[in-house]
Amino acid sequence: MIAVLVDVVTALALLAGVVTVLSARAARSAVRVLLDLLTAAGLLRLAGTPTWSGLAAAAAIIALRQLLAAAMSAAPSWSSRGSGPGSADDHHRPPAAAKQGTAGG
């Protein structure tokens, strides 16, 4: 009975992830929904007959969830340096006077 429930939750996790990507166009949200439901499936697996392989699978899913959540919440490397798109100290852009043209030349 528990095995069937785990399979159903896993299938629904995949479906919820796909629906989230298609409806919201938000890959981060889809990955979070998918990993949360896969964590639930792993914990349900442990509610049945606990085995070392079930415990290892649940631990791996939780570790992956934590790793991806940390990676997705971290700012991109270019934003911390201040040289990303639209920053004031971008030395690769021409000066403002060159864009507008010089007067009286």
Coordinates of all heavy atoms in Angstrom, one line a residue:
M1 N 0.8 -1.2 0.0 CA 0.0 0.0 0.0 C 0.9 1.3 0.0 O 0.6 2.2 -0.7 CB -0.9 0.0 1.2 CG -1.8 1.2 1.4 SD -3.0 1.3 0.1 CE -3.8 2.8 0.5
I2 N 1.9 1.3 0.9 CA 2.8 2.4 0.9 C 3.5 2.6 -0.4 O 3.8 3.7 -0.9 CB 3.8 2.3 2.1 CG1 3.0 2.3 3.4 CG2 4.8 3.4 2.1 CD1 2.6 3.6 4.0
A3 N 4.0 1.5 -1.0 CA 4.7 1.6 -2.2 C 3.9 2.2 -3.3 O 4.4 3.0 -4.1 CB 5.2 0.2 -2.6
V4 N 2.6 1.9 -3.4 CA 1.8 2.5 -4.4 C 1.6 4.0 -4.1 O 1.7 4.8 -5.0 CB 0.4 1.8 -4.4 CG1 -0.6 2.5 -5.3 CG2 0.5 0.4 -4.8
L5 N 1.5 4.4 -2.8 CA 1.3 5.8 -2.5 C 2.6 6.5 -2.8 O 2.6 7.7 -3.3 CB 1.0 5.9 -1.0 CG 0.7 7.3 -0.5 CD1 -0.5 7.9 -1.2 CD2 0.5 7.2 1.0
V6 N 3.8 5.9 -2.6 CA 5.0 6.6 -3.0 C 5.1 6.8 -4.5 O 5.5 7.9 -5.0 CB 6.2 5.7 -2.5 CG1 7.5 6.2 -3.1 CG2 6.3 5.7 -1.0
D7 N 4.7 5.8 -5.3 CA 4.7 5.9 -6.7 C 3.8 7.0 -7.2 O 4.1 7.8 -8.1 CB 4.4 4.6 -7.4 CG 5.4 3.6 -7.2 OD1 6.6 3.9 -6.9 OD2 5.1 2.3 -7.3
V8 N 2.6 7.1 -6.6 CA 1.6 8.1 -6.9 C 2.2 9.5 -6.6 O 2.1 10.5 -7.4 CB 0.3 7.9 -6.2 CG1 -0.7 9.1 -6.3 CG2 -0.4 6.7 -6.8
V9 N 2.8 9.7 -5.4 CA 3.3 11.0 -5.0 C 4.5 11.4 -6.0 O 4.6 12.5 -6.4 CB 3.8 11.0 -3.6 CG1 4.5 12.3 -3.2 CG2 2.5 10.9 -2.7
T10 N 5.3 10.4 -6.3 CA 6.4 10.7 -7.3 C 5.9 11.1 -8.6 O 6.4 12.1 -9.2 CB 7.3 9.5 -7.4 OG1 7.8 9.1 -6.1 CG2 8.5 9.7 -8.3
A11 N 4.9 10.4 -9.1 CA 4.3 10.8 -10.4 C 3.7 12.2 -10.3 O 3.8 13.0 -11.3 CB 3.3 9.8 -10.8
L12 N 3.0 12.5 -9.2 CA 2.4 13.8 -9.1 C 3.4 14.9 -8.9 O 3.2 16.0 -9.4 CB 1.4 13.8 -7.9 CG 0.1 13.0 -8.0 CD1 -0.7 13.0 -6.8 CD2 -0.7 13.6 -9.2
A13 N 4.6 14.6 -8.3 CA 5.6 15.5 -8.2 C 6.1 15.9 -9.6 O 6.4 17.1 -9.9 CB 6.8 14.9 -7.4
L14 N 6.3 14.9 -10.5 CA 6.8 15.2 -11.8 C 5.7 16.1 -12.6 O 6.1 17.0 -13.3 CB 7.1 13.9 -12.6 CG 8.3 13.2 -12.0 CD1 8.4 11.8 -12.7 CD2 9.6 14.0 -12.3
L15 N 4.5 15.7 -12.4 CA 3.4 16.4 -13.1 C 3.3 17.8 -12.6 O 3.2 18.8 -13.4 CB 2.1 15.7 -12.9 CG 0.8 16.3 -13.5 CD1 1.0 16.3 -15.0 CD2 -0.4 15.6 -13.0
A16 N 3.4 18.0 -11.3 CA 3.3 19.4 -10.7 C 4.5 20.2 -11.2 O 4.3 21.4 -11.4 CB 3.3 19.3 -9.2
G17 N 5.7 19.6 -11.3 CA 6.8 20.4 -11.8 C 6.6 20.8 -13.2 O 6.9 22.0 -13.6
V18 N 6.1 20.0 -14.1 CA 5.9 20.3 -15.5 C 4.8 21.4 -15.6 O 4.9 22.3 -16.3 CB 5.5 19.0 -16.3 CG1 5.0 19.4 -17.6 CG2 6.7 18.1 -16.4
V19 N 3.7 21.2 -14.8 CA 2.6 22.2 -14.9 C 3.1 23.6 -14.4 O 2.8 24.6 -14.9 CB 1.4 21.7 -14.0 CG1 0.4 22.8 -13.8 CG2 0.8 20.5 -14.7
T20 N 4.0 23.6 -13.4 CA 4.5 24.8 -12.9 C 5.3 25.5 -13.9 O 5.2 26.8 -14.1 CB 5.3 24.6 -11.6 OG1 4.5 24.0 -10.6 CG2 5.8 25.9 -11.0
V21 N 6.2 24.8 -14.6 CA 7.0 25.4 -15.6 C 6.1 25.9 -16.8 O 6.3 27.0 -17.3 CB 8.0 24.4 -16.2 CG1 8.6 24.8 -17.5 CG2 9.1 24.1 -15.2
L22 N 5.1 25.1 -17.2 CA 4.3 25.6 -18.3 C 3.4 26.7 -18.0 O 3.2 27.6 -18.8 CB 3.5 24.4 -18.8 CG 4.3 23.2 -19.5 CD1 3.4 22.1 -19.9 CD2 5.1 23.7 -20.6
S23 N 2.9 26.7 -16.8 CA 1.9 27.8 -16.4 C 2.6 29.1 -16.0 O 2.1 30.2 -16.3 CB 0.9 27.3 -15.4 OG 1.6 27.0 -14.2
A24 N 3.6 29.0 -15.1 CA 4.2 30.1 -14.5 C 5.5 30.6 -15.2 O 6.0 31.6 -14.9 CB 4.4 29.9 -13.1
R25 N 6.0 29.7 -16.1 CA 7.3 30.0 -16.7 C 8.4 30.3 -15.7 O 9.2 31.1 -15.9 CB 7.2 31.1 -17.7 CG 6.1 31.0 -18.8 CD 6.7 30.4 -20.0 NE 5.8 30.4 -21.1 CZ 5.4 29.3 -21.7 NH1 5.9 28.2 -21.4 NH2 4.5 29.4 -22.7
A26 N 8.3 29.6 -14.6 CA 9.3 29.8 -13.5 C 10.0 28.5 -13.2 O 9.4 27.6 -12.5 CB 8.6 30.4 -12.3
A27 N 11.2 28.3 -13.7 CA 11.9 27.1 -13.5 C 12.3 26.9 -12.0 O 12.3 25.8 -11.5 CB 13.1 27.0 -14.4
R28 N 12.6 28.0 -11.3 CA 13.0 27.8 -9.9 C 11.8 27.3 -9.1 O 12.0 26.5 -8.2 CB 13.5 29.2 -9.4 CG 14.8 29.6 -9.9 CD 15.2 30.9 -9.2 NE 16.5 31.3 -9.7 CZ 17.2 32.3 -9.3 NH1 16.7 33.0 -8.3 NH2 18.4 32.6 -9.8
S29 N 10.7 27.9 -9.3 CA 9.5 27.4 -8.6 C 9.2 26.0 -8.9 O 8.8 25.2 -8.0 CB 8.3 28.3 -8.9 OG 8.5 29.6 -8.5
A30 N 9.3 25.6 -10.1 CA 9.1 24.2 -10.5 C 10.0 23.2 -9.9 O 9.6 22.2 -9.4 CB 9.1 24.1 -12.0
V31 N 11.3 23.6 -9.8 CA 12.3 22.7 -9.2 C 12.0 22.6 -7.7 O 12.1 21.5 -7.1 CB 13.7 23.3 -9.4 CG1 14.7 22.5 -8.5 CG2 14.1 23.1 -10.9
R32 N 11.6 23.7 -7.0 CA 11.3 23.7 -5.6 C 10.0 22.8 -5.3 O 10.0 22.0 -4.4 CB 11.0 25.1 -5.1 CG 12.3 25.9 -5.0 CD 12.1 27.2 -4.5 NE 13.4 27.9 -4.3 CZ 13.6 29.2 -4.4 NH1 12.6 30.0 -4.5 NH2 14.8 29.7 -4.3
V33 N 9.0 22.9 -6.2 CA 7.8 22.1 -6.0 C 8.2 20.6 -6.2 O 7.8 19.8 -5.4 CB 6.7 22.5 -7.0 CG1 5.6 21.5 -7.1 CG2 6.1 23.9 -6.6
L34 N 8.9 20.4 -7.2 CA 9.3 19.0 -7.5 C 10.1 18.4 -6.4 O 9.8 17.3 -5.9 CB 10.2 18.9 -8.8 CG 10.7 17.6 -9.2 CD1 9.6 16.6 -9.6 CD2 11.7 17.8 -10.3
L35 N 11.1 19.1 -5.9 CA 11.9 18.6 -4.8 C 11.2 18.4 -3.5 O 11.4 17.5 -2.7 CB 13.2 19.4 -4.6 CG 14.2 19.3 -5.7 CD1 15.3 20.3 -5.5 CD2 14.7 17.9 -5.9
D36 N 10.2 19.3 -3.2 CA 9.4 19.2 -2.0 C 8.6 17.9 -2.1 O 8.5 17.2 -1.1 CB 8.5 20.4 -1.8 CG 9.3 21.6 -1.3 OD1 10.4 21.4 -0.7 OD2 8.7 22.7 -1.3
L37 N 8.0 17.7 -3.2 CA 7.1 16.5 -3.3 C 7.9 15.2 -3.4 O 7.5 14.2 -2.9 CB 6.2 16.6 -4.5 CG 5.1 17.7 -4.4 CD1 4.3 17.9 -5.7 CD2 4.2 17.3 -3.2
L38 N 9.1 15.3 -4.0 CA 10.0 14.1 -3.9 C 10.5 13.8 -2.5 O 10.7 12.6 -2.1 CB 11.2 14.3 -4.9 CG 10.9 14.2 -6.4 CD1 12.1 14.4 -7.2 CD2 10.2 12.9 -6.7
T39 N 10.7 14.9 -1.7 CA 11.0 14.7 -0.3 C 9.9 14.0 0.4 O 10.1 13.1 1.2 CB 11.3 16.0 0.3 OG1 12.4 16.6 -0.3 CG2 11.7 15.9 1.8
A40 N 8.7 14.4 0.1 CA 7.5 13.8 0.7 C 7.4 12.3 0.3 O 7.1 11.4 1.2 CB 6.2 14.5 0.3
A41 N 7.7 12.0 -0.9 CA 7.7 10.6 -1.4 C 8.7 9.8 -0.6 O 8.5 8.6 -0.2 CB 7.9 10.5 -2.9
G42 N 9.9 10.4 -0.5 CA 11.0 9.7 0.2 C 10.6 9.4 1.7 O 10.9 8.3 2.2
L43 N 10.0 10.3 2.3 CA 9.6 10.2 3.7 C 8.5 9.2 3.9 O 8.4 8.4 4.8 CB 9.2 11.5 4.4 CG 10.4 12.5 4.5 CD1 9.9 13.8 5.0 CD2 11.5 11.9 5.4
L44 N 7.6 9.1 2.9 CA 6.5 8.1 2.9 C 7.1 6.7 2.7 O 6.6 5.8 3.3 CB 5.5 8.4 1.7 CG 4.5 9.4 2.0 CD1 3.7 9.7 0.7 CD2 3.5 9.0 3.1
R45 N 8.2 6.6 1.9 CA 8.8 5.3 1.7 C 9.3 4.8 3.1 O 9.3 3.6 3.4 CB 9.9 5.5 0.7 CG 10.6 4.2 0.4 CD 11.7 4.3 -0.7 NE 11.1 4.7 -1.9 CZ 11.5 5.8 -2.6 NH1 12.4 6.6 -2.1 NH2 10.9 6.1 -3.7
L46 N 9.8 5.7 3.9 CA 10.3 5.3 5.2 C 9.2 5.0 6.2 O 9.5 4.3 7.2 CB 11.2 6.5 5.8 CG 12.5 6.8 5.1 CD1 13.2 8.0 5.8 CD2 13.4 5.5 5.2
A47 N 8.0 5.4 5.9 CA 6.9 5.1 6.8 C 6.5 3.6 6.6 O 5.9 3.1 7.6 CB 5.7 6.0 6.5
G48 N 6.8 3.0 5.5 CA 6.5 1.6 5.3 C 7.5 0.8 6.1 O 7.6 0.9 7.3
T49 N 8.1 -0.1 5.3 CA 9.2 -0.9 5.9 C 10.5 -0.2 5.7 O 11.0 -0.1 4.6 CB 9.2 -2.3 5.2 OG1 7.9 -2.9 5.2 CG2 10.2 -3.2 5.9
P50 N 11.0 0.3 6.8 CA 12.3 1.1 6.7 C 13.4 0.2 6.3 O 13.7 -0.8 6.9 CB 12.5 1.8 8.0 CG 11.5 1.1 9.0 CD 10.6 0.3 8.2
T51 N 14.1 0.6 5.3 CA 15.3 -0.1 4.8 C 16.5 0.9 4.7 O 16.3 2.1 4.6 CB 15.1 -0.8 3.5 OG1 14.8 0.2 2.5 CG2 14.0 -1.8 3.5
W52 N 17.7 0.4 4.6 CA 18.8 1.3 4.5 C 18.8 2.0 3.1 O 19.2 3.1 3.0 CB 20.1 0.5 4.7 CG 20.4 0.2 6.1 CD1 20.3 -1.1 6.7 CD2 20.7 1.1 7.1 NE1 20.6 -1.0 8.0 CE2 20.8 0.3 8.3 CE3 20.9 2.4 7.2 CZ2 21.1 0.9 9.6 CZ3 21.2 3.0 8.4 CH2 21.3 2.2 9.6
S53 N 18.3 1.3 2.1 CA 18.3 1.9 0.8 C 17.2 3.0 0.7 O 17.4 4.0 0.1 CB 18.0 0.8 -0.3 OG 16.8 0.2 -0.1
G54 N 16.1 2.8 1.4 CA 15.1 3.8 1.5 C 15.6 5.0 2.3 O 15.3 6.2 1.9
L55 N 16.3 4.8 3.4 CA 16.9 5.9 4.1 C 17.9 6.6 3.3 O 18.0 7.9 3.3 CB 17.5 5.3 5.4 CG 18.2 6.4 6.3 CD1 17.1 7.3 6.8 CD2 18.8 5.7 7.5
A56 N 18.8 5.9 2.6 CA 19.8 6.6 1.7 C 19.1 7.4 0.6 O 19.6 8.5 0.3 CB 20.7 5.5 1.1
A57 N 18.0 6.9 0.0 CA 17.3 7.6 -1.0 C 16.7 8.9 -0.5 O 16.8 10.0 -1.1 CB 16.3 6.7 -1.7
A58 N 16.1 8.8 0.7 CA 15.5 10.0 1.3 C 16.6 11.0 1.7 O 16.4 12.2 1.5 CB 14.7 9.6 2.6
A59 N 17.7 10.5 2.2 CA 18.8 11.4 2.6 C 19.4 12.1 1.3 O 19.7 13.3 1.4 CB 19.9 10.7 3.3
A60 N 19.5 11.4 0.2 CA 20.0 11.9 -1.0 C 19.1 13.0 -1.6 O 19.5 14.1 -2.0 CB 20.2 10.8 -2.0
I61 N 17.8 12.7 -1.5 CA 16.8 13.7 -2.0 C 16.8 15.0 -1.1 O 16.8 16.1 -1.7 CB 15.4 13.1 -2.0 CG1 15.3 12.0 -3.1 CG2 14.3 14.2 -2.3 CD1 14.0 11.2 -3.0
I62 N 16.9 14.8 0.2 CA 17.0 16.0 1.0 C 18.3 16.8 0.8 O 18.3 18.0 0.8 CB 16.8 15.6 2.5 CG1 15.3 15.1 2.7 CG2 17.1 16.7 3.5 CD1 15.1 14.4 4.0
A63 N 19.4 16.1 0.7 CA 20.7 16.8 0.4 C 20.6 17.5 -0.9 O 21.1 18.7 -1.0 CB 21.8 15.8 0.4
L64 N 20.1 16.9 -1.9 CA 19.9 17.5 -3.2 C 19.0 18.8 -3.2 O 19.3 19.8 -3.7 CB 19.4 16.6 -4.3 CG 19.2 17.1 -5.7 CD1 20.5 17.4 -6.3 CD2 18.4 16.1 -6.5
R65 N 17.9 18.6 -2.4 CA 17.0 19.7 -2.2 C 17.7 20.9 -1.6 O 17.6 22.1 -2.0 CB 15.8 19.3 -1.4 CG 14.8 20.3 -1.1 CD 13.7 19.8 -0.2 NE 12.7 20.8 0.1 CZ 12.7 21.5 1.2 NH1 13.7 21.4 2.1 NH2 11.8 22.4 1.4
Q66 N 18.5 20.7 -0.5 CA 19.2 21.7 0.2 C 20.3 22.4 -0.7 O 20.4 23.6 -0.7 CB 19.8 21.2 1.5 CG 18.9 20.7 2.5 CD 18.0 21.8 3.0 OE1 18.4 23.0 3.2 NE2 16.7 21.5 3.3
L67 N 21.0 21.6 -1.5 CA 22.0 22.1 -2.3 C 21.4 23.0 -3.4 O 21.9 24.1 -3.7 CB 22.8 20.9 -3.0 CG 23.9 21.3 -3.9 CD1 25.1 21.9 -3.1 CD2 24.4 20.0 -4.6
L68 N 20.4 22.5 -4.1 CA 19.8 23.3 -5.1 C 19.1 24.5 -4.6 O 19.1 25.6 -5.3 CB 18.8 22.4 -5.9 CG 19.4 21.4 -6.8 CD1 18.3 20.5 -7.5 CD2 20.2 22.0 -7.9
A69 N 18.5 24.5 -3.4 CA 17.9 25.7 -2.8 C 18.9 26.7 -2.5 O 18.7 27.9 -2.8 CB 17.1 25.3 -1.6
A70 N 20.1 26.3 -2.0 CA 21.2 27.2 -1.8 C 21.7 27.8 -3.1 O 22.0 29.0 -3.1 CB 22.3 26.5 -1.0
A71 N 21.8 27.0 -4.1 CA 22.3 27.5 -5.4 C 21.4 28.4 -6.0 O 21.8 29.4 -6.7 CB 22.6 26.3 -6.3
M72 N 20.1 28.2 -5.9 CA 19.1 29.0 -6.6 C 18.9 30.3 -5.8 O 18.5 31.3 -6.4 CB 17.8 28.3 -6.7 CG 17.8 27.2 -7.7 SD 16.2 26.5 -8.1 CE 15.7 25.8 -6.5
S73 N 19.1 30.4 -4.5 CA 18.9 31.6 -3.8 C 20.2 32.5 -3.8 O 20.1 33.7 -3.4 CB 18.6 31.3 -2.3 OG 19.6 30.7 -1.7
A74 N 21.3 32.0 -4.2 CA 22.5 32.8 -4.3 C 22.4 33.7 -5.4 O 21.9 33.4 -6.5 CB 23.8 31.9 -4.4
A75 N 23.0 34.9 -5.3 CA 23.0 35.9 -6.3 C 24.0 35.5 -7.4 O 25.0 34.9 -7.1 CB 23.4 37.3 -5.8
P76 N 23.7 35.9 -8.6 CA 24.7 35.6 -9.7 C 26.0 36.3 -9.4 O 26.1 37.3 -8.7 CB 24.1 36.2 -11.0 CG 22.7 36.4 -10.6 CD 22.6 36.5 -9.2
S77 N 27.1 35.7 -9.8 CA 28.5 36.2 -9.5 C 28.7 37.6 -10.0 O 29.4 38.4 -9.4 CB 29.5 35.2 -10.0 OG 29.5 35.1 -11.4
W78 N 28.1 37.9 -11.1 CA 28.4 39.3 -11.7 C 27.7 40.4 -10.9 O 28.1 41.5 -10.9 CB 28.0 39.4 -13.2 CG 26.6 39.0 -13.5 CD1 26.1 37.8 -13.9 CD2 25.4 39.8 -13.4 NE1 24.8 37.8 -14.1 CE2 24.3 39.0 -13.7 CE3 25.2 41.1 -13.0 CZ2 23.0 39.5 -13.8 CZ3 23.9 41.6 -13.0 CH2 22.8 40.8 -13.4
S79 N 26.6 40.0 -10.2 CA 25.8 41.1 -9.5 C 26.6 41.5 -8.2 O 26.4 42.7 -7.8 CB 24.4 40.6 -9.1 OG 24.5 39.6 -8.1
S80 N 27.4 40.7 -7.6 CA 28.1 41.1 -6.4 C 29.3 42.0 -6.8 O 29.8 42.7 -5.9 CB 28.6 39.9 -5.7 OG 29.5 39.1 -6.4
R81 N 29.8 41.9 -8.0 CA 31.0 42.7 -8.4 C 30.6 44.1 -8.8 O 31.4 45.0 -8.9 CB 31.8 42.0 -9.5 CG 32.5 40.8 -9.1 CD 33.4 40.3 -10.2 NE 32.9 40.3 -11.5 CZ 32.6 39.2 -12.1 NH1 32.8 38.0 -11.6 NH2 32.1 39.2 -13.4
G82 N 29.4 44.3 -9.2 CA 28.9 45.6 -9.6 C 29.3 45.9 -11.1 O 29.2 47.0 -11.5
S83 N 29.7 44.9 -11.8 CA 30.0 45.1 -13.2 C 29.1 44.4 -14.2 O 29.4 44.1 -15.3 CB 31.5 44.7 -13.5 OG 31.6 43.3 -13.3
G84 N 27.9 44.2 -13.7 CA 26.9 43.5 -14.5 C 26.2 44.4 -15.5 O 26.6 45.6 -15.6
P85 N 25.2 43.9 -16.1 CA 24.5 44.8 -17.1 C 23.9 46.0 -16.4 O 23.3 46.0 -15.4 CB 23.4 43.9 -17.6 CG 23.7 42.5 -17.2 CD 24.7 42.6 -16.0
G86 N 24.2 47.2 -17.0 CA 23.6 48.4 -16.5 C 24.4 49.0 -15.3 O 23.9 50.0 -14.7
S87 N 25.5 48.6 -15.0 CA 26.3 49.1 -13.8 C 27.0 50.4 -14.3 O 27.4 50.5 -15.4 CB 27.2 48.1 -13.2 OG 28.3 47.9 -14.1
A88 N 27.3 51.3 -13.3 CA 27.9 52.5 -13.6 C 29.4 52.4 -13.9 O 30.0 53.2 -14.6 CB 27.7 53.5 -12.5
D89 N 30.0 51.4 -13.4 CA 31.5 51.3 -13.5 C 31.9 50.3 -14.6 O 32.9 49.7 -14.6 CB 32.1 50.9 -12.2 CG 31.7 49.6 -11.7 OD1 30.6 49.1 -12.1 OD2 32.5 48.9 -11.0
D90 N 31.1 50.2 -15.6 CA 31.4 49.3 -16.8 C 32.4 50.0 -17.7 O 32.0 51.0 -18.3 CB 30.1 48.9 -17.5 CG 30.4 47.8 -18.5 OD1 31.5 47.3 -18.6 OD2 29.4 47.4 -19.2
H91 N 33.6 49.5 -17.7 CA 34.6 50.2 -18.5 C 34.6 49.8 -20.0 O 35.4 50.4 -20.8 CB 36.0 49.9 -17.9 CG 36.1 50.3 -16.5 ND1 36.1 51.6 -16.1 CD2 36.2 49.5 -15.4 CE1 36.2 51.6 -14.8 NE2 36.2 50.4 -14.3
H92 N 33.7 49.0 -20.4 CA 33.6 48.6 -21.8 C 32.7 49.5 -22.6 O 32.6 49.3 -23.8 CB 33.2 47.1 -21.9 CG 34.1 46.2 -21.1 ND1 35.4 45.9 -21.6 CD2 34.0 45.5 -20.0 CE1 36.0 45.1 -20.8 NE2 35.2 44.8 -19.8
R93 N 32.0 50.3 -21.9 CA 31.1 51.2 -22.6 C 31.8 52.5 -23.0 O 32.7 53.0 -22.3 CB 29.9 51.6 -21.7 CG 29.0 50.5 -21.5 CD 27.8 51.0 -20.7 NE 27.1 50.0 -20.1 CZ 26.1 50.2 -19.3 NH1 25.8 51.4 -18.9 NH2 25.5 49.2 -18.8
P94 N 31.4 53.1 -24.1 CA 31.9 54.4 -24.5 C 31.4 55.5 -23.5 O 30.4 55.3 -22.9 CB 31.4 54.7 -25.9 CG 30.2 53.8 -26.0 CD 30.4 52.6 -25.1
P95 N 32.2 56.5 -23.3 CA 31.7 57.6 -22.4 C 30.4 58.2 -22.9 O 30.1 58.1 -24.1 CB 32.8 58.7 -22.5 CG 34.0 58.0 -23.1 CD 33.5 56.8 -23.9
A96 N 29.7 58.8 -22.0 CA 28.4 59.4 -22.4 C 28.5 60.5 -23.4 O 27.6 60.6 -24.3 CB 27.7 60.0 -21.1
A97 N 29.6 61.3 -23.4 CA 29.8 62.3 -24.5 C 29.9 61.7 -25.8 O 29.5 62.3 -26.8 CB 31.0 63.2 -24.1
A98 N 30.5 60.6 -25.9 CA 30.7 59.9 -27.2 C 29.4 59.4 -27.8 O 29.2 59.4 -29.0 CB 31.7 58.8 -27.1
K99 N 28.5 59.1 -26.9 CA 27.2 58.6 -27.4 C 26.4 59.7 -27.9 O 25.7 59.6 -28.9 CB 26.4 57.9 -26.2 CG 26.8 56.6 -25.8 CD 25.8 56.1 -24.8 CE 26.5 55.0 -23.9 NZ 25.5 54.6 -22.9
Q100 N 26.4 60.9 -27.2 CA 25.6 62.0 -27.6 C 26.2 62.9 -28.7 O 25.6 63.7 -29.3 CB 25.3 62.9 -26.4 CG 24.5 62.1 -25.3 CD 24.4 62.9 -24.1 OE1 25.0 64.0 -23.9 NE2 23.7 62.4 -23.1
G101 N 27.5 62.7 -28.9 CA 28.2 63.6 -29.9 C 28.8 64.8 -29.2 O 28.3 65.2 -28.2
T102 N 29.8 65.3 -29.8 CA 30.4 66.5 -29.2 C 30.0 67.7 -29.9 O 29.8 67.7 -31.1 CB 32.0 66.4 -29.2 OG1 32.4 66.2 -30.5 CG2 32.5 65.3 -28.3
A103 N 29.8 68.8 -29.2 CA 29.3 70.1 -29.8 C 30.4 71.0 -30.1 O 31.4 71.0 -29.4 CB 28.3 70.7 -28.8
G104 N 30.3 71.7 -31.2 CA 31.3 72.8 -31.5 C 32.6 72.3 -32.1 O 33.5 73.0 -32.3
G105 N 32.8 71.1 -32.6 CA 33.9 70.4 -33.0 C 34.6 70.9 -34.2 O 35.5 71.3 -34.6

